[in-house]
Amino acid sequence: MRYHFLFLFCIFSIAGYAQYDSSLDQTKKVDFIQVDAEISILPKKKSVEGEVNYQFKILSPQDSIFIDAKNMEFSSVLLNGNKVSYSNDSSRIWIKTAFSPKKEYQLTLKYYAEPKQAMYFINWDAPKEKNVSKQVWTQGQGRDNSNWLPSFDDMTEKLIFNLTFNFNKDYQVISNGELVNKRDLNDSIAQWEFEMEKPMSSYLVAVAAGNYSKLTLQSKTAVPIELYFEPKDSLKVEPTYRYTKEIFNFLEDEIGVAYPWKNYKQVPVQDFIYSGMENTSITIFSDSFLIDSTAFIDQNYVFVNAHELAHQWFGDMVTETNGKHHWLHEGFATYYAWLAEKEIFGEDYFYWKLYESAEQLKELSDSGKGESLLNPDASSLTFYQKGAWALHILKEQIGEDNFKEAVKNYLLKNAYSNVTTDDFVRAVEDASKMDISAWKQDWLKQSAFQGTEALASLKRSEFISKYMKLASLRETSISIKKEYLDKALDFPVNEYIGQEVVFQLSGENTNETMSLYKKALGTNNLRVRQAVAVSIDSIPSAIKSKFIGLLNDESYITKENTLLKVWMQFPEETEKILNKTQDIQGFQNKNVRLLWLVINLVSPEIDSEKKPAYYKELSEYTSETLPFGLRQNAFGYLYQINAFSEQNLLDLLEGGQHSNHRFRNYCKSLLDKLLKDKEYRTKYVALSDTMENPDLEFLTKRLQD
C-alpha cells in the first residue's frame, strides 16, 4: 500500500525450495523407515561428529543406494554390522552392494563434519568477559540439513527421526519430538534424547542449543506448548508470546484436525536467516521478535507465530512433492494465520490484510509481473498472499462448511505423506460436489491477479468500502474534502481510516489542516497519532506541545519519529526531549537509543565532555557478537556522521561475510561506498597488513573491484 509504514523485518521464511535432481529419486526403490542418531555438537570447533543408524527396505533389486552428506568424513560404514564398499563424492555417500528386495537393512555411519551452512554457531569464539548469547541453531529448509546430518535432500523421502545430542551441560538443547531422557555423560557434557512417532522430511529436522529457560502452557486438547527464552529476556515473554495458546486452540478448531505431533516448541535465536521456520514440532524464529509491550503495536510476533504453527499441518504433516506446489505450504499457512489474527484483532483487521495484499498483487500483475501459483519459481508474494487469496475466494465460492470439510479430508487422507495441488482439488470437489474449474483457471493457473473478483470480495466489508471511498479522495483539493476528512475522524475513529486521513494531510497548507491535525492527535488512537508523527513534514507551532506529547505514546516508531522531528525543527527543545527519552531503547535494533546518541553527538548544545562516552557506546554496537539488526542500525548512523573507527571498519568487513544474506549484502554495499572514499580506502589498506584470511582475501577482492 502507498502509505504502509509499519516496521518490516523479513516477514517470510524462504520462498521456495531448490529443485531436487529427479534422476536421483530412489523413493520407489528404497523405503527408508527410521533413523536413530547420536550427534555430538562441538561449538568451539564449529563441527559435529556422530553415528547414524538407518533402517530401510529394498523395494526392487539395486546395486547401490545413497544418502546425502555434504563435505563429510566417514570413519566407519557398516551394513548390517559388516563393512561394505562405499564412495563419498562430497555431496552424498554411495553404498555399493547387491541389495535384495523385501529385505530389511541397517546402515551405520560414523561421521565428522564442519558445516558451512545449515548449522550456525553464535558467539562461541567471543571473549570470555563478554556477556553475549551463545547459541547453536539449524536452518535446513530446502536441501541444507545434509551439511550436518547424513540425510535426504529429497522432501518426498519421509521417515522417523530419533535424535540424541551431546552438548555442554550448562545449556539446553531443543529438537524435534519428545524429550524422553536427559542424563549427564561426565562433568561437562550432557545428553538429550528425542523421539518421534511419525515420519517427516529431512528438511524439517532441527536443533537449537543455548542458555534457555522455558514457560510451558497446555492447549485445551492437552498438547504441551513450550515457549523458550533466555533469562535476560524474561520480562519480554508475555508480550512476545501473547495469544500463543489462543492461536493454538483456534487453529485446531478451525482446521478440524488435531495437532499432528506430541508437543510444540518455539525457540528464539540470534541472527536467524528468516523470520521463522516451521521445523516439525519446533519453530525456530528470529529473536528480533522478542519485544516488550511498547513494541507490540509495531512489531509483534502474532502473525509469524500463527503462520509457523499452521505449517505444522500444511507443510510438515502434509508436504508438497516439489516446488510447483509450494503454495500448498505458504498459501495455507498465510491464510490460516490471517484467520487467527481475525479471531484476535477483529474482522476489520482481517479485511485490511486482504486489502493490503490485494494492492500489492494488483500492482505486480498490472506491471506484467504476475505469476501463476503453480510456477515453482514464483515470488514470496505469490506463494504467500496470492495463495491465501485463492483460498479466501474458494471458501466464498463453495461455502464455509464445504471448505472446512475439504481441508479436513485433504489432511487426513494425505497425513504424513506428499501431495500435489490435484490432491487438494479432488478433496474440494468431493466435499462440495461443485465445479471449480473456473477457480482453478483463474486462481491457480492464471498469472494475472483477479482484481475484479478480489474487489467484489473486499466490498463485503463495510469498513473497506468506506476506506476505499476515502482513498479515492487522495488527489482531491483539501478545501473540497476537508469536511469529509473531519467527519472521518469522529469518535470512535477506525484506526485505518484515521491513518488515511492523516496521510492525506501531508504536504497540504497547514492553515487548512490545523484543525484536522488537532483532531487526529485528540483521538488517542495510537495508530492515528503514529501517522501524524511519521507523515508530517513541518510541525505547526500551534500543535508543538501536542506533537512533543507523542513521546509518551506506547510505540517506538512514534517515539523515534517524534524525537527526530522535534530536534530538527525545534533545537531549543533538544535538552528537554533528550532528558525525556534518555532511558528508552526501542526495538532490538535500539532504534530510539541510537538516534538519541547521535543527537547528543551532533548537537552543539550538549556538553562536549559527555560526547566521548556517547560515541563509545554507539561505536560498540557494531560488534560481531551483537544481533545483526542492531549492528546494521549502528553502521548506518556512523556512516551518516562519518565517524568509523578502525574497529568499526573491521566489524563492517566481518559483516560482509555474515551468514544472513540481507545483512551481508548491506555491509558489502556500505563497504564499497567507503572504499570509494580516499581516506577510508587508505585506512583499509593499512589495516590489511594485520589481517588474515578470510578477511584479507575478502578485502583484497573488494579493493580490486
Side-chain angles (χ1 to χ4, degrees):
M1 180 189 171
R2 184 170 74 140
Y3 296 135
H4 184 62
F5 61 89
L6 299 182
F7 180 90
L8 295 174
F9 176 82
C10 183
I11 292 299
F12 304 113
S13 57
I14 190 169
Y17 300 86
Q19 295 301 299
Y20 190 70
D21 185 351
S22 59
S23 67
L24 294 172
D25 181 9
Q26 60 181 359
T27 57
K28 294 179 176 60
K29 307 169 185 176
V30 189
D31 179 16
F32 284 92
I33 302 166
Q34 180 172 308
V35 58
D36 298 280
E38 181 178 340
I39 303 155
S40 295
I41 302 176
L42 311 171
K44 292 186 177 180
K45 295 182 179 180
K46 298 183 179 180
S47 64
V48 296
E49 59 185 24
E51 178 177 309
V52 294
N53 293 279
Y54 276 100
Q55 299 174 29
F56 62 95
K57 295 179 181 178
I58 295 295
L59 305 179
S60 61
Q62 303 295 319
D63 58 10
S64 65
I65 64 168
F66 70 86
I67 292 177
D68 294 299
K70 296 185 179 73
N71 302 310
M72 291 183 178
E73 300 173 7
F74 293 93
S75 58
S76 176
V77 179
L78 303 176
L79 185 66
N80 290 344
N82 300 312
K83 290 184 177 180
V84 63
S85 176
Y86 71 94
S87 64
N88 175 15
D89 63 6
S90 80
S91 293
R92 55 191 59 86
I93 181 170
W94 290 88
I95 311 302
K96 302 177 180 181
T97 192
F99 290 99
S100 302
K102 299 181 181 179
K103 183 178 178 182
E104 293 190 6
Y105 291 87
Q106 179 169 302
L107 176 66
T108 303
L109 307 173
K110 289 186 178 180
Y111 73 99
Y112 174 84
E114 298 178 1
K116 303 304 180 187
Q117 55 184 331
M119 178 174 280
Y120 300 91
F121 304 89
I122 307 299
N123 291 333
W124 292 94
D125 51 2
K128 289 184 178 180
E129 64 272 12
K130 283 216 171 191
N131 183 24
V132 296
S133 297
K134 291 188 175 183
Q135 301 169 351
V136 177
W137 49 264
T138 60
Q139 167 57 19
Q141 186 169 3
R143 298 169 52 186
D144 290 341
N145 271 335
S146 55
N147 282 274
W148 65 274
L149 176 70
S151 51
F152 302 97
D153 294 344
D154 181 356
M155 69 180 72
T156 64
E157 184 65 81
K158 288 199 169 195
L159 61 161
I160 295 171
F161 285 85
N162 296 320
L163 304 178
T164 297
F165 294 95
N166 302 325
F167 196 72
N168 188 313
K169 64 184 294 185
D170 295 330
Y171 295 84
Q172 291 297 321
V173 173
I174 310 104
S175 188
N176 311 92
E178 182 180 16
L179 178 63
V180 295
N181 187 37
K182 180 188 174 184
R183 64 190 181 100
D184 291 343
L185 297 182
N186 53 44
D187 291 342
S188 61
I189 302 298
Q191 184 176 83
W192 290 259
E193 183 179 349
F194 297 88
E195 285 188 358
M196 294 285 292
E197 289 185 345
K198 301 294 184 181
M200 64 178 182
S201 302
S202 291
Y203 80 91
L204 296 167
V205 173
V207 62
N211 178 26
Y212 289 111
S213 299
K214 72 176 178 179
L215 170 67
T216 301
L217 309 176
Q218 193 171 69
S219 75
K220 68 179 183 181
T221 52
V223 176
I225 305 170
E226 299 175 5
L227 308 177
Y228 286 85
F229 59 95
E230 292 188 329
K232 65 181 176 64
D233 296 315
S234 61
L235 297 179
K236 297 180 179 179
V237 172
E238 189 283 321
T240 298
Y241 290 115
R242 190 175 294 171
Y243 302 121
T244 293
K245 186 173 179 178
E246 291 86 344
I247 291 168
F248 193 103
N249 291 337
F250 170 79
L251 288 179
E252 273 204 312
D253 288 342
E254 184 68 20
I255 293 169
V257 175
Y259 176 75
W261 317 102
K262 294 193 73 171
N263 59 23
Y264 184 53
K265 293 142 286 189
Q266 298 192 68
V267 188
V269 299
Q270 181 175 314
D271 290 347
F272 196 55
I273 298 174
Y274 305 102
S275 283
M277 176 60 199
E278 68 278 8
N279 311 292
T280 304
S281 80
I282 169 177
T283 285
I284 295 177
F285 68 97
S286 168
D287 64 0
S288 66
F289 287 108
L290 289 170
I291 57 167
D292 59 21
S293 290
T294 301
F296 187 86
I297 185 178
D298 301 320
Q299 184 188 321
N300 63 63
Y301 178 57
V302 174
F303 173 80
V304 177
N305 191 342
H307 182 95
E308 305 306 341
L309 178 55
H311 269 310
Q312 298 297 321
W313 288 268
F314 305 103
D316 296 8
M317 177 185 180
V318 174
T319 310
E320 67 189 58
T321 54
N322 56 59
K324 179 181 178 181
H325 310 286
H326 193 51
W327 82 278
L328 294 173
H329 292 194
E330 303 303 349
F332 274 84
T334 300
Y335 185 58
Y336 278 94
W338 285 353
L339 292 177
E341 288 186 305
K342 178 183 177 183
E343 183 75 5
I344 294 166
F345 300 124
E347 187 170 280
D348 284 358
Y349 185 92
F350 172 70
Y351 272 98
W352 179 251
K353 298 297 280 283
L354 285 171
Y355 174 77
E356 272 194 314
S357 60
E359 289 278 278
Q360 296 166 357
L361 289 162
K362 189 175 185 302
E363 182 180 353
L364 186 73
S365 182
D366 290 348
S367 67
K369 298 179 181 178
E371 299 165 318
S372 162
L373 273 179
L374 301 181
N375 176 0
D377 299 316
S379 65
S380 295
L381 184 63
T382 297
F383 285 132
Y384 290 69
Q385 283 101 320
K386 189 176 181 180
W389 256 104
L391 294 172
H392 175 69
I393 292 295
L394 178 64
K395 183 192 285 186
E396 290 190 337
Q397 288 184 359
I398 67 173
E400 184 169 0
D401 290 343
N402 285 335
F403 182 83
K404 286 186 174 181
E405 184 68 17
V407 170
K408 179 179 178 180
N409 293 342
Y410 161 72
L411 288 171
L412 293 177
K413 182 177 180 180
N414 300 291
Y416 311 105
S417 62
N418 296 85
V419 291
T420 68
T421 298
D422 285 342
D423 292 308
F424 175 64
V425 169
R426 277 192 294 271
V428 173
E429 291 173 336
D430 289 344
S432 67
K433 305 295 190 267
M434 295 172 65
D435 179 7
I436 60 169
S437 56
W439 174 82
K440 286 162 49 180
Q441 181 62 37
D442 291 344
W443 288 94
L444 300 183
K445 298 179 181 180
Q446 281 275 10
S447 59
F449 179 66
Q450 304 302 303
T452 302
E453 192 170 4
L455 179 61
S457 176
L458 288 169
K459 286 185 174 179
R460 295 174 187 266
S461 164
E462 182 181 354
F463 147 64
I464 290 294
S465 295
K466 288 180 179 179
Y467 179 85
M468 289 192 292
K469 183 178 180 181
L470 176 63
S472 70
L473 300 177
R474 287 172 181 170
E475 305 304 322
T476 302
S477 168
I478 185 66
S479 60
I480 295 174
K481 63 184 178 182
K482 183 177 179 181
E483 185 176 341
Y484 187 87
L485 298 183
D486 183 81
K487 188 175 181 180
L489 289 173
D490 283 348
F491 182 84
V493 64
N494 176 285
E495 65 181 35
Y496 304 107
I497 288 176
Q499 288 176 82
E500 177 64 28
V501 170
V502 171
F503 286 128
Q504 289 194 26
L505 303 181
S506 181
E508 296 286 353
N509 184 292
T510 53
N511 291 329
E512 292 273 8
T513 59
M514 183 65 63
S515 63
L516 295 173
Y517 275 125
K518 287 181 178 179
K519 191 170 184 178
L521 289 169
T523 62
N524 292 324
N525 182 290
L526 289 177
R527 294 272 193 206
V528 177
R529 288 167 61 84
Q530 184 184 84
V532 176
V534 169
S535 68
I536 199 165
D537 297 319
S538 178
I539 307 165
S541 297
I543 62 169
K544 174 183 171 182
S545 62
K546 291 183 179 295
F547 194 89
I548 293 176
L550 290 169
L551 289 173
N552 297 317
D553 281 21
E554 293 294 297
S555 160
Y556 290 130
I557 287 177
T558 302
K559 291 178 187 294
E560 179 185 8
N561 279 273
T562 304
L563 176 61
L564 175 64
K565 292 182 177 181
V566 172
W567 168 68
M568 292 179 67
Q569 192 166 333
F570 303 109
E572 70 275 10
E573 301 288 348
T574 299
E575 186 175 357
K576 175 183 176 181
I577 60 176
L578 288 177
N579 287 338
K580 193 172 185 62
T581 54
Q582 63 181 338
D583 297 323
I584 300 174
Q585 301 295 314
F587 303 121
Q588 187 191 57
N589 69 354
K590 296 185 183 291
N591 62 314
V592 180
R593 180 62 179 176
L594 266 58
L595 174 60
W596 187 91
L597 291 170
V598 170
I599 291 174
N600 274 280
L601 288 170
V602 302
S603 296
E605 301 90 348
I606 305 303
D607 185 351
S608 60
E609 291 185 1
K610 298 179 180 179
K611 294 188 177 185
Y614 296 147
Y615 175 73
K616 181 176 183 293
E617 181 182 346
L618 174 63
S619 181
E620 288 177 347
Y621 286 134
T622 68
S623 169
E624 64 182 277
T625 63
L626 297 174
F628 73 82
L630 172 56
R631 298 178 65 194
Q632 182 169 317
N633 206 18
F635 281 133
Y637 276 121
L638 289 167
Y639 178 70
Q640 289 182 42
I641 64 175
N642 192 29
F644 287 96
S645 68
E646 287 189 356
Q647 186 59 53
N648 297 146
L649 296 177
L650 293 172
D651 290 341
L652 183 63
L653 203 65
E654 185 278 334
Q657 304 163 79
H658 198 272
S659 57
N660 185 286
H661 70 278
R662 290 175 178 82
F663 178 60
R664 181 171 67 244
N665 291 340
Y666 171 86
C667 291
K668 285 181 179 179
S669 177
L670 181 55
L671 176 61
D672 290 343
K673 287 180 182 178
L674 295 184
L675 291 176
K676 291 177 182 178
D677 181 283
K678 184 177 180 181
E679 180 182 351
Y680 281 119
R681 189 178 185 89
T682 300
K683 288 183 177 180
Y684 266 117
V685 170
L687 286 170
S688 67
D689 291 338
T690 62
M691 289 181 191
E692 299 179 354
N693 283 333
D695 288 349
L696 179 59
E697 184 178 342
F698 178 72
L699 176 60
T700 301
K701 184 178 185 305
R702 308 311 288 190
L703 288 168
Q704 293 171 347
D705 287 346

